[in-house]
Structure formats: structure tokens, C-alpha cells
Amino acid sequence: MGDTRRRVKLYVLNNNTSWDDHGTGHVSVSEESEYLPRWTLTVRSEEDGSTLLETCIRPDISYQMQHDALIVWTEMDEHLALSFQEKKGREEIMDLISEGQRQTAMQLGELPEDSDSNGVFQAMGDVLLPELPPCELSKLEDISEMLSSVLATPAQQQTRKMMAEKLAQTFEETNYIKQLIELFHVCEDLENVEGLNHLYDIVQSLFLLNHTSIVEVLLSDDYLLDVVGCLEHDPRQQEATQHRQFLTGQAQLKEVIPLTDPELKSKMQLTYRAQYIQDVLMPMPLVFEENMLSALHSIIMFNKGEIVTALQTDEAFLTELFQTLLDEGTPMQRSVELLRFLREFDQFSASLKSESRLEFYRTLINYGLFTVLSTFLAMDEEDIQGAVVPILCHVCEFSPNLIREMFLEGTNSNEDEDQLLLNVVIGRLVDDGDGAVGGCMAGILRLVLGLPPMAQQPNLKGKISLPPTFSDFLSMFYRLCMPRLTAPLLSLASGSSLSKDDDWTAGLCRHVLEVLCICVGSHCFHMRNHVTSRDLLRRILILVKSSHSHLALSALRLLRQLIGLKDAQVNNHIIRNDHLRPVVELLLEHKDEYNLTNSACIEIFEFIRADNIRELVTYVQSTYAEELLKISYVGTFEGLRRRYEMDKMRQQASSPEHAAEGRVTAVSATSRFRRDARSLDDDEEVWFNEEEADENGPLFEDEENLDDVPMPNVESSDIIGPLLNRPWKPMKLKRRSSEEEDEVGTIFKPKEPGGKASGSFPLVDYEDEDEEED
């Protein structure tokens, strides 16, 4: 077999814009003439060695690498594609194609002989980079068109990078960007709108070239504001936008805590302005252009990382920050400014790696981050909530275990329960209800109460083992926090109906039920004990009477998850308290409707039927069979009835009374063939000796009229019932060998208390053959 790295399929685009498969073979690139380079691309069939494709590699053809395995190009108005079996083979062929294009271009005088082999014709065979026009006012349109042509080059990363590298080198050698900025001042002084529009396109193209050295020059202190000035003159807008006025006037660095490092302050200001250019002045990248401004983005993220690292190691700065926040005498407006800074400080930390970001949060926690958050989260001011909530969400999303650790530390240090962070979160959830902050608080609780990553995979026994710290956390949470979380549900459904059913209350209860669903799925032991030891489930199921369908569905979802545990204690709790009655009533109310409520109710019963939860099957059929069997448009309830009848028959067959009757019947049916173990009857011995002679003769004088033969009065049993229920016929016995006796004799063995058979009682007893022959 040939080299699989170069094994390809050849495709040709037909007139119907679909690709035709022209065969499978092996591709090669070769130089045919030593004196006149003529590089050819050949594909030979792997079946008979015939030539599937032979084409000359030309410098003016654009060979494109697409997806993970394709090389696509167009020649003579024909679209061709090679699909490689291995990615490495595609790269090898692409390098050979690039070298062939380079050598051919040199031979034709289109490329200098000392050109780097990794030059213009890399990866896609792009044309040579046009000559950069002189930086003059009359040439601005030519400069813009040249840069646009570079950006219009098929977007293959290596080629674009190579072109940007050449432009960066040219700009550095000729101080080209400085000349462009000088032209910008000339155009502004002359109010040359056309020139300013060309400069807008030029500067935007320079950013889109995505080259780090070019972007760094554009963001330097000498040119940044002038670059922003160029981007004010968008030709698609009638008037210029005053971005420079905003950056130099309103967007000023405000030092809430004085900074002593001037370089750090300059980097903060530069980072903000670079972020402004990316978010406001640059075009929004499309889905397939996510890396269009990666050079600018990388510079911003790198600067943010340096800022965070510098502030994180400044002990004096952090000490003053947190002491001021925790000081009760600090004015509210001052606290809001500090919290906004802390929020932005936290946002900058997203640029750090995971290990560095974890260290960052632990540093802030040591200075009192969670104390600050719990203190200000309890306040109702919107400005404070807008600063505190994002910080808490970011910490929880990054590492919920940090919150668990601080919760355990607070409980171990006998901290006031009202000051515990999770209790503050629950309090904020109850106060905000269905608002945006309430939704964030519910999300935080779901993350904190969810299983840690190390406990999400079951062990060899199929069970999930919780880390010791997580188990300790759950124990304290259910003791100190769960009553506060479920209090809204208990107060809303104190009787047999809802005390109120407004939108705000429905949203709050829905958030609480979503958190409880996470509890059922993540730590069923604690949740099972909490549900069965309190009147919680009955109160929750009252919510199905709500006029808000989302609330009723949330209550049904929680019940469904509890049933899905298949836990005997939970099932007995449901049966004992008749907790399926609200579901049956809701189903009968919506039985003629095609909606989510109807489907959710039916799904609960379908799960009980499909998984054969016997105690619930019996409970449903013995209590609600008559009502549910009226619903015939699904087969769920008829299936429940059949399942119930099968289980009932099985229980009757395995009942002690029935088993005892079966054993008595079995013994009476076989006693006529059993001998006394003490002796062998002489008549029986004669009968055995004579049975061979009677083998072909009738045992009864009239065997054809069996109606006169008395039938044994027996009932079926688990052991031989099916055999004894067959039509009875007289039986002829033959002498059995010792091996057959061993097999037959073990059918009926009384069991000892330990469950083992105590002895062998054959259906027919006889003496050994040797003794009889003697």
C-alpha cells in the first residue's frame, strides 16, 4: 500500500454546484526539467496506476487549504479539490506547491533570486505584495486600495501573517505611520473630507492586518489620540463623532485610592483607550472572524494582567482599600466608588490564567473580600447592588468551592447566622424575588450546591462519593440555611390553597424550586431526609394550583425528580401522605388540553409504569384507577393497570400460603412413586423385573378410554405446577442408572434454615443394579 499521508480523493465541481468524486489515488509534486522548472501536480489511481490528474503549478493560481484535509484551487474555469487522508500529508504537499510557485516565479523574473523560500508563495500561492505607494496626500486613495487588496487576499493565516510582516518592516524602515499621522493633521487643517475618509479606511485596515508591531505603534502615546481622530471620520456617517473629546474629557482615570506608580497609571489609561477602540471604533467581527482583532485583544489582555499583578502585590493599596470599605464611617458615595473599582479590578482578573486567578481571589479573601460582599449585599441601594453582585457571580462561576470554604470557616468560628454569606444570598433572593438580582442569587446557590467536579463521576458501584469537606458543607447548609430557603414556600402554602398568587411571588417560588431541584439531584440523602421529616412536599404540591403555569411545572419537576430517586423512604412518604392526589386532580383538569401541564403529569405516571416502581404502581391503581382509566388517548394508564395485575399475580404466586399448598400438592403427587427408605418391597422388585416385558403392552386394559381413569386432585405450584396441569396419563416406570438417579433425585430437596438442600429424595427409589443382579 502507498504512503497514506498522500492518499487523496480527487473532486471536481460540476454544473450543479456539487462535487463529483473522480477517484482515489496518491498525489505527488515533481520538477520535470532541470533547466526550465516546470512543477507539476499529479494524482495517480491506487487501483490501476492511471493518471487521474496532471496539472502545472502556476504562480498566479491561489491554492487554498480549507477545513482539516482539503486543498482547493481553480484553473481553466474548473474548480478542483484534493481531500487528504492525513493532515500531515496535506501540509507536505502544500509546502511543495509553495516551493514550486516560488521557483517558477523566480524563473519568470517575478521574484528575486535571493528571496526567502518562506516568502510570498506560501500556503496559498498568493500574488506578490504590491509596492507601497509614497505617503502623499494625492496617494491616499492608492494606499487605501493597496491595503484593501491585502485584506481581500483569501484569509489563510500564514499568508496574511507574511504580508503583514512585510508591511510592518516597510513601515518601520520608512516611518510610514508617522507620515500618515502628519497627513491627517494636514487634512484636518484643510477640512479635506475625502482625505479624512481615506485615512479612516487606512487606519482601520492597519488594525485589521492583525500584526502586533503595527498595533503597538498605533497605540503608542505619540499616535493614539491621532489614530482615534482618524477613526472619527467614518465615510458612512454624515458627521464626525467626537471620540477624542470623550477620551480626553469625560473618560479620565479616577484614583479612588492614590497610586504611586506613574507607569501603572499610564498603562491603565492606555488599556482603557485600547479597549474603547476595540469595542466602539472597530467593526463588529462576524462569527467566522472571531480572531480578526486578536493582536489588539492580546495587547489589552496582557496589559490587564500586568495591572492586576501590580495591584495584587501592593499590600498598602489593598489594606487601605478594604479598611475603607469596612469602616462604618465611610460615606455611601465613597463606598460606591470603591466597590466599582473593586468590580473593575475583578473584571481585569479574567485575563489571568486559572492558577494566577485563584491566587488573586485568595489574596482578596485574606483581606476581607467575603466580609465586604456580605455586608454590602444586604443593602438595598441599586448602585451598591450593581457593583457587588457581579463580583460575587464571578467568584462563584470561577470557583464555588471558595464560597463553601468560607461558609464552613464562618460556621466553625461561631459567626452570626445572619452574617453568613449564603444566608445573606438567600435573604437577597427572598427580597428581590423575580428581579434580576434574585435570578443572580438563585444562580449562585445552584452553583454552590451543585456537585464538585471530583464527585460528578460515579464509582465502580455506580454511586457518587462526596468529598468530606462537601459533606460537612451540606450538613451545615441544611441545618442553618435550608429553613430560610424553603420559608417562602411554607408561608405561601400554609393551608390547602395559595395565600397569594401574584407575579412577584410566583417568580420567587420558581427560583426556590429550581434550587431544590439541584439539591435533589446532587445530594439526595440530605434532601430526602429534609423532605420526609417535614411537611415540605405537600406545601410544594399546592403550588400546582397556581395560575402561573411556570410555577406549577416547577413543582411537578421537583416531584418527578424525587420519584426518580426510586427511594423506598421517599415513595412511602408519598404514599402515606397521598401526595399524588394534586397531580391526578391537575391531570383531570387538563385532560382534554394539549399543553405542557398535561404532558408533565402524564410523564410522571409513565415513569412509574416504565420503571415498575411497584409500591407506587399499587398505590396509583388502588386509589385512582377508576379516574385515570378514563384517559385513553395515551396507553400509560392501561399499562399501569396491566403492570399492577401482573405484580398482583406474582405476589399471590409467591405468597407463603400458596407456596405451602404447592409443596403439599407436589409431595402428594409424587408419593405414589416414592419408596420407604427403610426397606424394598418384594412386590416392587418383581414389578421392576417384569417391566421390560410389559414395555410395549398396555398398562391398563383400556387405555383409549381415559375418561374413566381418575384424575389427581392437584393445584399448580411454582415447581411442578405446569407439569401437573397437563392431561394426566398412566405412567410407565423404567429402572434408572445411578447417574440418572442423581439428576432426578435432586428435584425435591427440603431446605435447611440456611437455604441449602439437606438431602436427596428421588421420585423413584430402587436398589443398586449390582445388588439386584446378585
Side-chain angles (χ1 to χ4, degrees), residues 551-569:
L551 180 57
L553 290 171
S554 297
L556 291 174
R557 180 166 59 248
L558 180 62
L559 175 63
R560 168 63 176 80
Q561 285 197 278
L562 286 170
I563 295 175
L565 297 177
K566 301 179 186 179
D567 184 85
Q569 184 177 343

Side-chain angles (χ1 to χ4, degrees), residues 11-223:
Y11 293 94
V12 179
L13 190 68
N14 58 29
N15 295 330
N16 297 326
T17 66
S18 60
W19 292 94
D20 294 333
D21 186 354
H22 280 228
T24 303
H26 291 83
V27 63
S28 61
V29 176
S30 59
E31 183 181 6
E32 291 191 353
S33 174
E34 181 179 356
Y35 303 101
L36 181 62
R38 182 177 179 273
W39 292 71
T40 58
L41 177 70
T42 307
V43 179
R44 299 190 182 278
S45 173
E46 66 177 2
E47 295 182 356
D48 53 10
S50 59
T51 302
L52 300 178
L53 173 70
E54 186 173 16
T55 180
C56 180
I57 297 175
R58 295 162 45 189
D60 58 341
I61 294 179
S62 176
Y63 296 87
Q64 304 179 28
M65 291 196 297
Q66 296 183 2
H67 303 289
D68 291 332
L70 294 177
I71 294 179
V72 182
W73 73 98
T74 302
E75 60 176 74
M76 304 292 292
D77 296 330
E78 189 174 36
H79 300 277
L80 304 171
L82 294 178
S83 177
F84 285 76
Q85 179 174 336
E86 296 186 17
K87 184 178 180 180
K88 187 176 180 180
R90 181 187 71 163
E91 296 173 352
E92 292 178 355
I93 294 299
M94 201 71 243
D95 291 340
L96 292 174
I97 291 174
S98 301
E99 178 63 19
Q101 288 186 303
R102 192 187 72 84
Q103 293 288 350
T104 304
M106 290 174 57
Q107 180 66 26
L108 298 176
E110 298 177 1
L111 189 68
E113 293 186 1
D114 59 351
S115 175
D116 188 358
S117 61
N118 293 325
V120 175
F121 297 106
Q122 282 192 3
M124 290 175 52
D126 291 26
V127 296
L128 288 171
L129 184 67
E131 183 179 356
L132 191 64
C135 191
E136 300 174 356
L137 188 61
S138 59
K139 298 295 183 180
L140 288 178
E141 183 176 2
D142 296 339
I143 299 171
S144 176
E145 291 179 355
M146 188 276 295
L147 293 175
S148 298
S149 66
V150 172
L151 293 175
T153 303
Q156 204 284 328
Q157 296 296 327
Q158 188 65 25
T159 303
R160 180 71 58 81
K161 182 179 179 180
M162 174 270 302
M163 288 186 169
E165 189 68 37
K166 286 186 172 293
L167 284 174
Q169 182 178 356
T170 303
F171 290 164
E172 184 178 358
E173 293 174 352
T174 61
N175 213 2
Y176 206 82
I177 293 179
K178 181 180 180 180
Q179 299 179 48
L180 288 173
I181 297 302
E182 293 174 353
L183 286 179
F184 166 69
H185 292 299
V186 172
C187 290
E188 272 203 324
D189 294 338
L190 298 176
E191 297 183 355
N192 187 343
V193 177
E194 183 180 359
L196 291 173
N197 290 339
H198 289 316
L199 283 168
Y200 172 90
D201 293 332
I202 292 171
V203 172
Q204 188 181 78
S205 298
L206 292 177
F207 277 107
L208 295 178
L209 283 175
N210 211 19
H211 192 273
T212 304
S213 63
I214 296 177
V215 176
E216 286 178 347
V217 174
L218 294 173
L219 295 180
S220 62
D221 294 336
D222 297 334
Y223 303 136

